Amino acid sequence: MEILFEKIKLSLSTFSNNDINELNNRLTEDALLLTFNSFLKIKNNDYTYIIDNLKSKFENDIHNKQNILDRTITELKCTQNEFNNYKLNIDKIIQDEVNKKTQYKSKYYEDHIENIEMKKKKEIDDKIQYIENSYKAQIDLLQGELLKSQNTTISQEHLQHLKNDIIKSIGEKNDIQNQASNIKGQFGENIINNIKDKYNLSQNFYLEDTTQIEANGDFIAHNIYPNIPDIILIESKFVKNICTSKNPKHGKSDLVRFEEHYTKFFKENPNSHSIIFSMNSDKISGKGFYHIENIDNHLVFYVSINYSKINNLEIFQDIINFIFHTIVIHIVEFSQQKTPTDNINDNTAILIKTLEKSYSREKNTIDFLEDKVYRLHKDIQDFNDLITEHKTNIREIITTFNKINHNFEPINIDKPIINMSTIHKFITENNHSIDFLQKTNKEDLKKFFPDLPSRFTKQKLIEDYNKFLITLTT
């Protein structure tokens, strides 16, 4: 035991006090015990045992960490598959809701159009019946007059008067075409003004009459839909062709004037649109019977409905009301797409928001798992670095072991008279020259370094210090 202590003591003699303290902090009893046991098990200088033992230990740790990583990756893939299936189901639900709403709207419009057509057909049948009855009464009257004329003598003047009455009766029709120009204009304005009576998309809806304001159309529609600030400029014309008919005051066609009106209106009102109703033509040249244009996010609607083909005021009013409601719905959808609102009551929008929240939660889960995988990779890398460090330590141990005198023969070691690191620290901290020891007398040296033996020589001290300096450079 004394020999072993002597060997350890000699091997540590070149270390400073700081190095020895640091080494003492790092070498636990378990580490020393493992090292000594490893040395005892080495046969024929085969030091690979220590490395293999450590390698086996850390390979098991790496294998366990890899299993944890594989399980985590599998769980991550399962979570991803579940999320994809969930997203597909949500997409299907959204599409079903959209289809249902589309079918509902289509059915509503089809039923409304069918009701209008049935009502129109009934009105036409009633009118035909009325005309037939009127003509029949006139024919019966004429036959009576003819029978009477067979029995009596009728003057030529009386016959001419009777002829004129019949022609006038047959020629009289409830047709706006026979009215004067100012009556035609008033007719269109009345139709537009009556829209408010059956408007049901907003309780605060109202029409501003602008017929007396130059270049402002006939009406401006306000509060067309809740939380929608858009307003609509409305004009009505009762001519055969608004592209060729000219306003006697300006000499321009009605269509050109309409374009000037809405251009000015759009500049003054950012959230605005316009409609022109042509009520005496089958279609508008270049536009058709129903046409929409988008001018810098302002919608322009061209509508052509020929009153003479319907010739019934109530039915015509219902058609205009229906078309105006349809236009407003189109404007509302356009506005919501352009600037989505926060108050969304639509089931589809709610489902979309639900999907977004769900996606956010799943994204957080994926991010957490990815971070977990990253940490596992880092742990594995730390283990690999630790193995590399242990291999380096083992090589140093082997190198040191090879330097040990295994024959346990006494070795003559020239031990320094004092710890040279203390002297070196004093010289460097006080910025003394290299010949400080040579110039300083023994008494002063003893004061500076109390640990010096009582009987020391300056020559021995200088030699030991020079040897210490050589070890610092190697």
Side-chain angles (χ1 to χ4, degrees), residues 24 53 156 168 239 265 285 357 370 389 444-445 462:
N24 181 55
N53 188 30
Q156 197 69 24
K168 182 180 178 181
V239 294
F265 186 67
S285 179
K357 291 180 180 178
E370 287 179 348
E389 182 182 352
D444 291 337
L445 289 173
I462 293 171

Side-chain angles (χ1 to χ4, degrees), residues 27 38 49 59 63 101 103 113 147 168 216 247 297 300 335 376 409 430:
L27 288 176
S38 298
Y49 167 78
E59 280 181 350
H63 180 69
K101 178 166 287 189
Q103 292 174 359
I113 292 172
L147 290 174
K168 182 180 178 181
N216 274 273
N247 189 308
N297 284 331
V300 181
S335 178
L376 288 173
E409 295 176 354
N430 293 281

Side-chain angles (χ1 to χ4, degrees), residues 424-432:
H424 182 68
K425 182 178 180 182
F426 177 83
I427 292 174
T428 54
E429 288 181 352
N430 293 281
N431 295 322
H432 292 306

Side-chain angles (χ1 to χ4, degrees), residues 69 122 156 177 186 240 276 284 291 319 348 358 403 444 474:
L69 176 62
K122 184 177 183 303
Q156 197 69 24
Q177 303 287 350
Q186 187 66 40
K240 285 293 185 183
I276 184 169
I284 300 173
H291 180 70
I319 293 174
T348 302
S358 175
K403 293 180 181 180
D444 291 337
T474 58

Side-chain angles (χ1 to χ4, degrees), residues 336-352:
Q336 288 177 340
Q337 290 174 359
K338 183 176 64 174
T339 307
T341 59
D342 293 331
N343 298 324
I344 301 175
N345 295 321
D346 189 270
N347 289 334
T348 302
I350 293 174
L351 287 173
I352 291 174

